Amino acid sequence: MTTATVKGNVLCYKGSNFFRQRLVLSVLSGKPIRISYIRAFEDEPGIKEFEVSLIRLFDKITNGSVIELNETGTSLYFQPGLLHGGTFSHECSTQRGVGYYLEALVMVGLFCKQPLNATLHGVTNNNIDPSADLIKTSMIRAVKNFVLDDEGLEIKVTKRGMLPLGGGEVIFKCPVRKQLRPVQLLDSGMVKRIRGTAFALRVSPAIANRIVDKAKGVLLNFLPDVYINTDQCRGKQSGKSPGFGVHLTAETTNGIIYSAEQVSNVVSNGEDPSIPEDVGEGAATRLLYEIYLGGVVDSSSQALVILCMALGQQDVSKFVTGPLTENAIGFLRHLKEFFGVTFKVAHESDEDSSGRGTQKVVLTCVGIGYKNISKRTI
Amino acid sequence: MDKEESREKCNKERNFKAFSMYSAVRAGRAARRALDLATKKHHLPVPIRTVATPPPYVIVVVGPPKVGKTTLIRSLIKHYTKQKVVKPIGPITIISGKNKKLTFMECNNDLNSMIDLAKVADLVLMIIDASFGFEMETFEFLNILQVHGFPKVMGVLTHLDLFKQNKRLNKIKKRLKHRFWTEIYQGAKLFYLSGMIGDGYHRREIMNLSRFISVMKFRPLVWRSTHPYVLVDRVEDLTDPELVKRNPTTARTVSFYGYSRGISFKPSIKIHIPGVGDLPMKDVSFLPDPCPLPEEQKKRKLLEKETLIYAPMCDVGETLYDKDAVYVEMGQNVRKLDLSSGEKDILVGEGVGIVNQLVKAAAPIDEACKASTVKLFAASSGIKGSADVFEGVRSDALGTETEPNPRIRRKVVFSDVESESDSGLRWKEHMADKAEQAFLQPRPPDLMGAVYNTNHTSAINSLDESEPEDDDFFSKERHEKVGDQEIAVTEDSSKIRETGLHWDEEDVQKLLRNKFVTGEWGSEDAEKLLMEDEESDADGDFEDLEIASSEHKAEESPRDVVQQSDRLRYEEKVLKKAEFDRMYDNKDNDGLFQEMKESFAKQARINESEFENEAAEQRIQYEGFRPGLYLRIVVENVPSEFCQHLDPSYPIIIGGLLSNEENIGFVHVRIKKHRWFPRILKNNDPLIISLGWRRFQTAMQYSMQDHNMRNRLLKYTPKHMHCRATFYGPLVTPNTGFLGVQTVDRTPGFRIAATGVVLEQDACFKVVKKLKLTGVPHKVFTNTAFIKDMFTSDLEVSKFIGASIRTVSGIRGTIKKTLSAPLGSFRATFEDKIKLSDIVFLRAWYPVEPLRYYNPVTSLLQADKGSWTGMKTVGQLRFERNLKARCKADSHYKLIKREPVQFSKLTIPKSLQAELPYKSKPKLLIKKSEKTVRKQKAKKKIFKIMSKEEKQINVLLQQLNTIKNLKLTTKLKKKQADQRRAKELEKDEAKALKRQKAWKKQINRKRSKREGVARRKSASAS
């Protein structure tokens, strides 16, 4: 990744990397950004459809944003307005899942002027992005640690949609908060139960049962308390394309949830057709891997937790995670550039870690005292 | 009965304790009241952000001119440090106690400095001339304080010696005290300084004042506990003198010095210097405290040499230790050194002494260095030093530093092994070991470097480096060319790509066995605990204790109590005891309040201890510069006027801005014109606003919110009411207070025009004013009417189709469709028939854009600091140019002329009159017309005296007339008779004709009948 060069008030980046992080942080910090050389030397230069859709989404939730894109789409200037929120619906690009957009909304949702009530249409489950279910069990759960009153913070999957046509619908509601509180979460506890949901869209419902059987087979080696639902989606609820998948969660004695998921391959994209048993086993393996990585949040919420810690009040926050993902490391670097926050990243001093997964990472930081300046007072 | 009552009363008086619980209701009420009072005392707990070594408290001395501000500061400094400061200018920091520092600052009467100092003062000493009473400045300052968070205020009455009579003095004291209390709070401290002795106040009184200051407690204020700031006590111009010489107006590089205050000062934040503007920071570093607290805390009192004073802006202490230099103040007149006599050195200060020694030295220091020798061993000869030695050492040090950290790339590849071996299962051997190796052992020691040092092309501890090869789709590492370099592209997804390890292997399963409740529990493992328990039981001598007999026995060894029931009972007891302690030991047994306080205290402990053991630089990296550190802030591009017109008596503040606060947008506020400000404020007039750290001029757009949340524009602020206002300015957190003044110069009267609070901010706000369009009907049907003159074109009408309209009489309707002619006319329907004379109007709301005007007050850049003028109000301009307000001709009020209404005469038809009863009949005679009256009068009045001839003529004429009249009448009669006869004849003829017709008809009928009969007969006959 490249580091930012500062020209006046503008942070200048190069390349298409971490496009979403940069936009999110720009909106939150109020700093304008300029990104150049976006896939400048590729066959299809410039920003892609899903990124355009993301910019549109940011245009919808902000007021007074200035967006300048050059003709080829290889250079973007984004001057953020104030976060407004409110009720709206957004047609997400099918190139990426709804989760790609939802994650950005989860990051900025608490700092809007009006409570968010967003309806996102598109692909709810794919193999690249976290699905709406995963965001619900992992990220929303993580955010709830940072607000005292989390009433109205919810995600509802009303329709599922798979690649290539999508047709899914997710409703995301988020209240408005003035500030985040500092959190010290160090103990993850032990996994006490595993739950999950398997779904089969526009294919035989027996497939869901086959997934459940296999996933259970793997997980029962570790824990007897495994229960996986099958979600029967009918008619419009099952979207436009066939497919199946499973989403698994593991809850610990301290109420922390690890989640993992896997969906079937898309045959129309030239991939091999998936076997339900493989999907079930794959999801179970991923869940065990998440448990193995450990921490107080699972790997997909690391960036979100890092953001919430940095934006908290001027107090020390402390969090234990598994090894940092590339996404999280990128986020840490970007946070330093946008907000000047440096995290203390250290390994957990482990006394008795045999059989407890990887060595954990302790993230410590002092919040910047971010306040929701869009919020209205009476 | 009566007797009994009196006896009871008597008993009650004699032994009141026996009757304490007289009424349950009253007792209940009393309890409730006590609780109410207790709750009232609670303040919302605020996060504790105090540090171990806080910055010196800022004590600002305020008052109108000639009340004794300077004298007070001088006396206080004399009291604390035994030093005499002639001219106390700028912040003066002193050590007031074993662990307390104070900074004194005098506030001049410029409104700009009053505002700035109100934002940083921890304690305000408000000096009031008792012989004069309160002055405007005092009240102005109090209002400024109220807006920017109320720090502690202590009043000081001076000039009390001017009162000759004691009685009058007491009266004045009392009056001033009560006025002061109404302004601050009942019981606010007001200090009396009875008079001067020499050039200072009484020593005893100053000592008392200092004691009051030392016990003062400071409550954290919201703005200051969320923003870092520095009260600058030293300014140094770092610009190259050569550049300044060439171009005196070149932008300067200035270093500011002062204690970090508020919260931690982060090097990455933006700063604002009130009076100068937003400036970029080049460098922040901390220096050793120039006024350090004494280290030894054994003695009760401070030693005289520990009472330090630090005041670089006024002439105290001549030595200054900077980051890379030491400055020595040599005084105004460079004294000529008398090398022969050493006595003079005793009299001069430390710094001058150093300079003198340097000057006296025979050889320069580098030569002395070369000449000097160091003996390492007693026997050996001395080693000669040289300047090169230092250079060599330095380069060595650099060499070791620049050596890069060796980094080992790790890769977990499972399928690699498979290809090498013949057996498909061999790769599974030592699975766990390999995984352990991959994930646990070779860890880079420096995670921080891996994350923040971007020279590492990819993260070391990243998960994504260990790519499984079975998934071809993800294993391709894509690169992107960015200008002249190439960077790896990531998927931009938070989901990890790994599918994990092969968990069906026993060895691999071991890796996370203990992450499940079915695995080992470590220290809290039930089995282990039980074992321990048993062991201790076996060792310890078992006694059957009687739990009930004594509590302390049970406390001694709870483990000895083996029986489960006893154990439970013991635990219950412990809990009960803790509950009892909690209830009775804490005076505030309010759960929620206590809980909040405890959580804040806990957080404060964590904040304090978390980075305690880190190195200073690391700590600053994480936390920023803690409050209390002495900072040196280098700022570039400072306007040259700042250095040219630097006046240390004006406070220089560096205020830190939070993220987003450097941006500008529209701010919506609740505002109230100050009740003492003589005029009301006009819409869109410029107003100087002090909000947050900033002072700026902006144009206010006043509005009032209707019940349906619509903001309606106001032309002027209400007199005694809050209203809303929108202005273009920097964004701050909502709920921040602000104040507005029209001018900052020395105008007489109360200068604070308005105060208020920020409600919200956005990129745009909708403030509307009413727009009434009128039209007239030109054709009216029953419920439909054609209306013209409201719009000028069809396009306009089509924009308003469906809009509701109304007539003056209140009949409502809607616009339906455009009409072809006349232009701009339309068809509208109403709920009832409207009249052609009605006026139809349409009520609409027109959005008004606020002016985008934002102009920071740059008072510190002025030669005359108080003379800053921004945009003037229209009123001021008119006054200066002696202009009258323009007014349109049709806006004038004119005398309304109304024609008296002409009602038509009431006429009752004669037929109706005839039928009316007598009492309702019009009885008055009909007024005759003037002509007839005149005629009649004339007739009456004319009397002619006629001669005989005339009489005869008259008679003859009369007779002729009579004949003529008679003839005429007969003729007329005849004519009438003829006519009548002719009419009658006609009538008769007509009658006859009718009769004839009837006859003919009858005859014809009979004939035809007869013929018919005959025909039938003939027919029948034939």
Side-chain angles (χ1 to χ4, degrees):
Chain A
M1 81 172 261
T2 53
T3 47
T5 46
V6 186
K7 278 180 192 164
N9 202 18
V10 187
L11 287 171
C12 299
Y13 286 99
K14 282 175 183 173
S16 62
N17 252 356
F18 302 113
F19 187 77
R20 191 172 42 154
Q21 290 184 5
R22 287 167 184 169
L23 283 185
V24 164
L25 288 174
S26 165
V27 165
L28 286 173
S29 67
K31 281 182 180 146
I33 52 169
R34 185 185 297 283
I35 306 176
S36 49
Y37 292 105
I38 304 175
R39 304 191 184 93
F41 301 100
E42 281 184 25
D43 298 340
E44 291 172 34
I47 58 171
K48 288 192 175 165
E49 188 196 324
F50 69 90
E51 286 161 337
V52 173
S53 180
L54 184 72
I55 295 173
R56 291 241 160 84
L57 178 67
F58 273 111
D59 194 30
K60 269 179 195 167
I61 55 168
T62 56
N63 187 12
S65 293
V66 178
I67 300 153
E68 286 166 18
L69 205 62
N70 70 348
E71 270 177 28
T72 51
T74 51
S75 173
L76 169 79
Y77 173 74
F78 180 72
Q79 186 188 316
L82 284 165
L83 277 168
H84 191 266
T87 307
F88 64 90
S89 77
H90 184 68
E91 203 65 48
C92 303
S93 163
T94 51
Q95 286 178 349
R96 296 298 290 259
V98 163
Y100 179 77
Y101 304 92
L102 208 50
E103 202 187 331
L105 284 185
V106 172
M107 283 176 169
V108 299
L110 288 170
F111 300 108
C112 290
K113 186 185 284 285
Q114 273 158 3
L116 262 185
N117 187 356
T119 313
L120 304 179
H121 302 278
V123 179
T124 52
N125 298 69
N126 67 1
N127 268 326
I128 313 168
D129 293 301
S131 72
D133 301 285
L134 193 87
I135 289 177
K136 189 178 174 180
T137 53
S138 157
M139 296 188 191
I140 297 292
R141 193 85 179 189
V143 169
K144 282 183 179 180
N145 287 321
F146 292 93
V147 285
L148 265 183
D149 178 18
D150 56 12
E151 203 188 318
L153 183 62
E154 58 175 330
I155 288 180
K156 206 173 160 192
V157 184
T158 49
K159 292 173 194 169
R160 285 182 192 278
M162 299 281 285
L163 277 170
L165 296 175
E169 188 183 89
V170 177
I171 297 168
F172 174 53
K173 286 181 185 168
C174 182
V176 169
R177 291 287 168 266
K178 196 179 162 198
Q179 61 197 17
L180 301 176
R181 66 197 193 107
V183 162
Q184 293 90 27
L185 282 181
L186 300 173
D187 190 13
S188 58
M190 298 162 119
V191 175
K192 63 176 181 184
R193 68 167 77 104
I194 293 174
R195 296 286 178 267
T197 321
F199 56 88
L201 313 172
R202 299 196 173 275
V203 287
S204 161
I207 283 179
N209 296 335
R210 283 165 68 188
I211 299 174
V212 171
D213 282 349
K214 186 65 190 177
K216 266 182 109 169
V218 174
L219 294 170
L220 282 175
N221 287 333
F222 296 90
L223 199 72
D225 191 2
V226 180
Y227 193 86
I228 304 172
N229 273 320
T230 52
D231 186 9
Q232 305 293 354
C233 303
R234 282 180 196 166
K236 279 189 177 173
Q237 281 188 326
S238 54
K240 291 173 183 168
S241 301
F244 50 88
V246 64
H247 166 249
L248 299 170
T249 58
E251 194 183 342
T252 70
T253 45
N254 287 5
I256 286 142
I257 289 186
Y258 302 116
S259 24
E261 62 177 355
Q262 183 145 347
V263 291
S264 59
N265 289 343
V266 188
V267 182
S268 61
N269 283 6
E271 295 166 26
D272 298 332
S274 306
I275 303 162
E277 279 77 12
D278 285 354
V279 171
E281 191 185 1
T285 317
R286 279 170 191 263
L287 182 69
L288 290 173
Y289 191 55
E290 282 294 343
I291 296 168
Y292 172 72
L293 298 178
V296 179
V297 287
D298 56 18
S299 60
S300 47
S301 308
Q302 281 178 1
L304 182 70
V305 163
I306 287 166
L307 177 74
C308 289
M309 282 167 77
L311 295 188
Q313 286 167 296
Q314 273 113 358
D315 289 316
V316 171
S317 288
K318 222 170 174 184
F319 238 91
V320 166
T321 66
L324 295 176
T325 61
E326 200 169 337
N327 195 42
I329 291 170
F331 208 84
L332 282 173
R333 290 175 185 170
H334 279 109
L335 265 180
K336 195 178 180 190
E337 283 162 356
F338 278 95
F339 288 109
V341 187
T342 311
F343 276 65
K344 183 182 167 192
V345 191
H347 284 299
E348 195 182 36
S349 56
D350 42 354
E351 301 96 35
D352 179 29
S353 69
S354 66
R356 288 180 195 279
T358 57
Q359 197 180 15
K360 309 289 180 282
V361 174
V362 187
L363 295 168
T364 317
C365 89
V366 180
I368 56 159
Y370 188 81
K371 292 267 172 67
N372 184 355
I373 58 159
S374 311
K375 195 172 177 280
R376 188 180 290 151
T377 58
I378 35 162
Chain B
M1 191 69 192
D2 202 32
K3 221 176 214 176
E4 211 167 294
E5 255 184 29
S6 66
R7 201 192 303 149
E8 202 179 46
K9 210 175 174 183
C10 193
N11 277 340
K12 205 173 161 184
E13 276 164 9
R14 225 177 273 158
N15 186 10
F16 60 91
K17 274 189 182 172
F19 295 88
S20 61
M21 185 60 188
Y22 191 65
S23 153
V25 176
R26 200 173 290 169
R29 259 184 222 149
R32 251 173 281 154
R33 185 171 153 68
L35 282 174
D36 276 354
L37 289 176
T39 322
K40 245 187 200 175
K41 275 182 191 164
H42 289 166
H43 288 279
L44 183 73
V46 281
I48 306 157
R49 305 235 187 271
T50 48
V51 287
T53 48
Y57 294 112
V58 179
I59 299 176
V60 174
V61 182
V62 191
K66 299 280 170 202
V67 286
K69 300 187 288 284
T70 312
T71 318
L72 183 71
I73 289 183
R74 210 186 287 137
S75 313
L76 277 167
I77 287 169
K78 180 96 184 286
H79 165 79
Y80 282 120
T81 65
K82 312 280 178 287
Q83 285 204 44
K84 209 171 177 183
V85 178
V86 184
K87 248 187 170 179
I89 301 170
I92 299 168
T93 305
I94 51 122
I95 292 189
S96 68
K98 280 187 299 180
N99 44 18
K100 204 165 194 179
K101 289 183 280 187
L102 301 175
T103 297
F104 289 98
M105 175 88 192
E106 187 183 323
C107 178
N108 53 25
N109 284 293
D110 188 343
L111 200 58
N112 290 313
S113 18
M114 279 158 76
I115 288 171
D116 286 351
L117 279 174
K119 291 173 187 171
V120 295
D122 290 308
L123 168 67
V124 173
L125 292 181
M126 194 154 264
I127 306 189
I128 300 144
D129 183 351
S131 65
F132 188 87
F134 284 105
E135 287 169 65
M136 273 303 179
E137 282 84 355
T138 312
F139 287 116
E140 277 171 355
F141 195 81
L142 279 171
N143 270 294
I144 295 167
L145 285 182
Q146 272 170 348
V147 165
H148 295 298
F150 213 114
K152 290 268 171 181
V153 176
M154 195 150 85
V156 178
L157 284 187
T158 55
H159 296 263
L160 290 175
D161 49 347
L162 293 180
F163 292 99
K164 296 284 176 285
Q165 295 167 317
N166 232 4
K167 203 177 169 188
R168 186 167 155 63
L169 174 68
N170 287 335
K171 213 174 155 188
I172 290 279
K173 267 185 184 175
K174 198 174 174 186
R175 213 184 62 206
L176 290 177
K177 184 174 78 184
H178 282 280
R179 187 71 190 82
F180 190 67
W181 283 4
T182 51
E183 215 50 52
I184 298 175
Y185 64 90
Q186 290 297 307
K189 184 67 200 161
L190 191 61
F191 207 85
Y192 307 108
L193 292 177
S194 58
M196 305 254 289
I197 286 181
D199 56 351
Y201 295 109
H202 285 291
R203 270 180 63 192
R204 173 60 56 182
E205 286 173 350
I206 289 296
M207 199 170 81
N208 285 341
L209 181 61
S210 75
R211 277 179 185 160
F212 269 110
I213 290 169
S214 67
V215 296
M216 195 72 84
K217 274 182 186 161
F218 304 102
R219 193 180 150 75
L221 306 175
V222 174
W223 181 262
R224 283 177 230 178
S225 58
T226 50
H227 290 79
Y229 62 98
V230 169
L231 174 61
V232 174
D233 55 14
R234 194 181 141 208
V235 179
E236 214 74 54
D237 189 356
L238 301 181
T239 330
D240 187 6
E242 196 57 38
L243 275 176
V244 178
K245 213 174 175 184
R246 236 181 282 153
N247 180 13
T249 57
T250 183
R252 308 292 173 92
T253 306
V254 179
S255 66
F256 296 93
Y257 300 80
Y259 287 97
S260 168
R261 294 166 196 275
I263 55 165
S264 293
F265 201 98
K266 290 205 169 177
S268 61
I269 58 163
K270 293 276 155 68
I271 55 162
H272 176 85
I273 303 179
V276 181
D278 285 17
L279 293 166
M281 253 187 325
K282 193 188 167 198
D283 176 49
V284 191
S285 53
F286 73 97
L287 304 176
D289 194 343
C291 204
L293 286 171
E295 278 173 15
E296 273 183 63
Q297 301 279 323
K298 281 173 191 166
K299 292 180 197 82
R300 211 169 142 257
K301 272 180 85 178
L302 275 177
L303 294 175
E304 203 160 308
K305 69 169 181 186
E306 287 166 347
T307 57
L308 298 174
I309 178 167
Y310 179 66
M313 281 181 176
C314 61
D315 278 342
V316 188
E318 66 278 17
T319 323
L320 272 179
Y321 295 91
D322 196 0
K323 195 183 172 194
D324 40 18
V326 179
Y327 297 91
V328 175
E329 180 74 43
M330 293 294 284
Q332 296 276 314
N333 44 349
V334 180
R335 69 195 81 184
K336 212 177 165 192
L337 280 171
D338 190 1
L339 292 173
S340 57
S341 68
E343 285 90 17
K344 273 196 177 173
D345 287 356
I346 300 157
L347 296 172
V348 298
E350 180 196 5
V352 180
I354 294 169
V355 174
N356 287 353
Q357 275 177 4
L358 281 176
V359 172
K360 266 188 255 173
I365 199 154
D366 47 346
E367 282 174 28
C369 251
K370 274 180 191 167
S372 70
T373 56
V374 179
K375 253 187 185 180
L376 288 178
F377 305 103
S380 69
S381 60
I383 301 164
K384 228 180 184 184
S386 73
D388 302 343
V389 173
F390 295 105
E391 278 166 26
V393 168
R394 192 172 295 167
S395 64
D396 276 1
L398 281 173
T400 50
E401 262 178 18
T402 49
E403 197 173 305
N405 256 352
R407 192 175 64 82
I408 311 146
R409 280 182 70 101
R410 307 160 295 108
K411 199 156 198 169
V412 182
V413 183
F414 300 116
S415 40
D416 270 1
V417 194
E418 193 177 10
S419 61
E420 285 166 13
S421 63
D422 303 328
S423 151
L425 286 172
R426 191 158 329 149
W427 60 270
K428 285 184 176 177
E429 284 172 8
H430 311 297
M431 193 77 202
D433 292 347
K434 279 174 195 162
E436 290 255 338
Q437 243 178 0
F439 285 96
L440 301 175
Q441 258 71 50
R443 268 185 205 292
D446 180 23
L447 260 184
M448 288 292 293
V451 172
Y452 287 110
N453 190 354
T454 43
N455 289 337
H456 296 256
T457 46
S458 60
I460 291 172
N461 206 30
S462 157
L463 287 165
D464 295 340
E465 211 157 320
S466 51
E467 285 153 2
E469 231 162 68
D470 48 36
D471 199 341
D472 276 350
F473 182 71
F474 291 121
S475 60
K476 271 186 251 167
E477 197 170 61
R478 293 189 295 125
H479 282 272
E480 187 181 9
K481 247 181 120 182
V482 175
D484 47 354
Q485 56 186 5
E486 201 165 80
I487 51 166
V489 178
T490 54
E491 195 63 59
D492 198 5
S493 168
S494 55
K495 202 152 113 176
I496 53 168
R497 295 185 226 154
E498 270 79 35
T499 48
L501 305 169
H502 293 265
W503 298 112
D504 47 354
E505 280 299 301
E506 272 287 314
D507 295 344
V508 186
Q509 282 181 7
K510 267 185 197 164
L511 286 178
L512 79 163
R513 257 295 164 227
N514 298 340
K515 277 292 282 187
F516 291 90
V517 281
T518 48
E520 274 179 34
W521 281 64
S523 57
E524 38 186 331
D525 196 22
E527 211 173 329
K528 231 183 238 175
L529 282 178
L530 210 66
M531 289 282 283
E532 272 173 26
D533 251 14
E534 274 172 13
E535 275 168 29
S536 64
D537 282 350
D539 296 343
D541 42 349
F542 172 67
E543 274 182 337
D544 194 1
L545 290 169
E546 282 177 36
I547 310 299
S549 64
S550 66
E551 206 177 87
H552 73 271
K553 268 186 187 171
E555 249 176 46
E556 276 171 6
S557 53
R559 272 206 184 145
D560 295 352
V561 186
V562 274
Q563 283 168 355
Q564 196 65 22
S565 59
D566 286 350
R567 191 172 199 162
L568 284 175
R569 220 170 125 198
Y570 168 74
E571 277 167 8
E572 214 169 273
K573 267 191 169 178
V574 169
L575 277 178
K576 267 189 181 167
K577 188 160 187 271
E579 180 65 19
F580 182 85
D581 286 350
R582 204 180 64 79
M583 289 279 282
Y584 290 94
D585 290 354
N586 282 336
K587 272 178 189 170
D588 303 313
N589 49 6
D590 183 3
L592 182 71
F593 182 71
Q594 203 60 28
E595 210 174 277
M596 264 178 105
K597 267 172 91 173
E598 273 164 17
S599 78
F600 283 136
K602 191 183 157 204
Q603 185 65 50
R605 277 199 301 278
I606 293 171
N607 292 352
E608 188 80 2
S609 61
E610 185 58 42
F611 299 112
E612 221 169 26
N613 301 325
E614 301 278 344
E617 273 140 44
Q618 291 286 316
R619 201 172 172 185
I620 281 157
Q621 198 185 357
Y622 302 135
E623 285 183 312
F625 296 93
R626 291 183 304 283
L629 289 179
Y630 193 70
L631 298 186
R632 173 181 187 268
I633 299 166
V634 181
V635 179
E636 274 184 331
N637 292 329
V638 180
S640 61
E641 290 86 353
F642 175 77
C643 297
Q644 283 164 4
H645 310 306
L646 187 68
D647 182 352
S649 67
Y650 282 78
I652 301 162
I653 292 160
I654 294 178
L657 302 172
L658 301 183
S659 71
N660 259 333
E661 281 186 352
E662 60 204 287
N663 293 349
I664 288 182
F666 284 110
V667 185
H668 194 60
V669 296
R670 191 193 298 126
I671 193 171
K672 193 186 176 194
K673 191 214 74 141
H674 201 281
R675 62 199 167 118
W676 291 342
F677 192 69
R679 290 179 299 273
I680 52 174
L681 307 173
K682 193 176 178 229
N683 188 42
N684 270 345
D685 261 358
L687 197 69
I688 296 165
I689 283 186
S690 157
L691 172 65
W693 295 123
R694 300 170 201 261
R695 287 177 274 124
F696 55 90
Q697 195 181 38
T698 183
M700 303 290 272
Q701 189 185 51
Y702 300 106
S703 58
M704 189 74 100
Q705 195 168 49
D706 284 349
H707 290 292
N708 55 4
M709 313 305 266
R710 180 197 290 134
N711 281 316
R712 289 181 65 175
L713 189 78
L714 291 178
K715 284 185 176 175
Y716 294 93
T717 54
K719 243 182 176 176
H720 305 292
M721 219 169 45
H722 285 284
C723 69
R724 302 290 183 90
T726 311
F727 64 82
Y728 186 67
L731 306 179
V732 288
T733 341
N735 261 340
T736 311
F738 73 93
L739 73 92
V741 290
Q742 277 199 332
T743 51
V744 282
D745 54 15
R746 296 169 200 97
T747 41
F750 196 72
R751 284 178 288 185
I752 291 159
T755 55
V757 70
V758 174
L759 294 179
E760 64 174 313
Q761 37 221 342
D762 213 332
C764 60
F765 277 101
K766 203 179 172 194
V767 176
V768 291
K769 65 179 178 186
K770 197 162 76 182
L771 178 70
K772 233 180 188 177
L773 303 171
T774 58
V776 283
H778 61 97
K779 199 160 190 189
V780 176
F781 305 97
T782 23
N783 277 358
T784 306
F786 291 170
I787 299 185
K788 59 174 185 179
D789 292 350
M790 191 180 278
F791 302 108
T792 52
S793 70
D794 288 354
L795 190 74
E796 279 179 15
V797 179
S798 56
K799 282 215 161 196
F800 280 90
I801 282 173
S804 62
I805 48 177
R806 201 158 70 89
T807 65
V808 176
S809 50
I811 300 169
R812 294 168 298 178
T814 42
I815 297 176
K816 288 287 180 189
K817 208 181 172 188
T818 55
L819 290 176
S820 51
L823 204 65
S825 66
F826 58 88
R827 176 166 65 85
T829 55
F830 291 89
E831 55 187 1
D832 205 348
K833 189 177 177 179
I834 63 167
K835 282 199 161 183
L836 206 57
S837 57
D838 254 338
I839 297 171
V840 179
F841 60 85
L842 183 144
R843 238 165 52 129
W845 300 98
Y846 179 74
V848 194
E849 272 277 306
L851 293 177
R852 281 174 184 262
Y853 173 64
Y854 165 70
N855 184 15
V857 176
T858 52
S859 56
L860 285 184
L861 306 184
Q862 308 289 316
D864 178 15
K865 299 279 189 281
S867 70
W868 188 87
T869 45
M871 190 160 79
K872 286 173 183 167
T873 64
V874 179
Q876 272 173 325
L877 286 174
R878 284 210 190 103
F879 177 74
E880 281 168 16
R881 281 149 212 229
N882 206 9
L883 292 172
K884 287 268 164 63
R886 234 187 302 158
C887 51
K888 289 177 194 162
D890 63 347
S891 297
H892 280 293
Y893 286 101
K894 281 162 265 177
L895 198 69
I896 301 165
K897 264 189 202 165
R898 290 216 167 84
E899 290 287 324
V901 185
Q902 294 271 333
F903 292 107
S904 55
K905 218 185 283 172
L906 180 74
T907 47
I908 305 169
K910 269 182 188 160
S911 55
L912 184 64
Q913 266 192 42
E915 279 177 41
L916 286 172
Y918 176 75
K919 73 172 183 185
S920 304
K921 268 182 190 162
K923 284 171 205 77
L924 291 168
L925 289 172
I926 298 156
K927 202 182 172 189
K928 283 164 191 166
S929 70
E930 271 183 44
K931 211 175 165 185
T932 46
V933 172
R934 217 186 301 137
K935 242 183 207 172
Q936 279 172 356
K937 273 184 183 171
K939 258 184 195 169
K940 268 184 188 173
K941 273 178 187 170
I942 297 166
F943 293 101
K944 274 183 185 169
I945 299 160
M946 285 184 278
S947 62
K948 208 177 174 181
E949 285 163 31
E950 279 176 331
K951 266 183 186 173
Q952 280 174 342
I953 292 163
N954 223 3
V955 167
L956 186 68
L957 275 174
Q958 215 169 359
Q959 284 168 344
L960 285 171
N961 257 343
T962 316
I963 291 164
K964 187 190 151 195
N965 283 346
L966 200 69
K967 267 184 184 168
L968 277 173
T969 44
T970 44
K971 228 181 190 173
L972 193 72
K973 268 179 186 171
K974 202 184 164 192
K975 202 182 172 182
Q976 278 174 347
D978 284 350
Q979 277 174 349
R980 213 180 302 139
R981 208 174 300 134
K983 244 181 201 170
E984 271 169 20
L985 215 86
E986 225 171 277
K987 236 185 224 171
D988 286 350
E989 269 175 14
K991 249 182 195 172
L993 205 66
K994 213 178 175 183
R995 220 166 29 234
Q996 250 174 0
K997 260 188 178 170
W999 265 106
K1000 272 181 187 168
K1001 207 177 177 182
Q1002 234 171 354
I1003 289 164
N1004 284 341
R1005 193 183 277 169
K1006 275 179 183 169
R1007 190 191 289 160
S1008 62
K1009 260 184 185 173
R1010 220 174 287 147
E1011 278 172 2
V1013 169
R1015 216 182 294 134
R1016 258 174 275 152
K1017 269 180 183 173
S1018 65
S1020 63
S1022 62

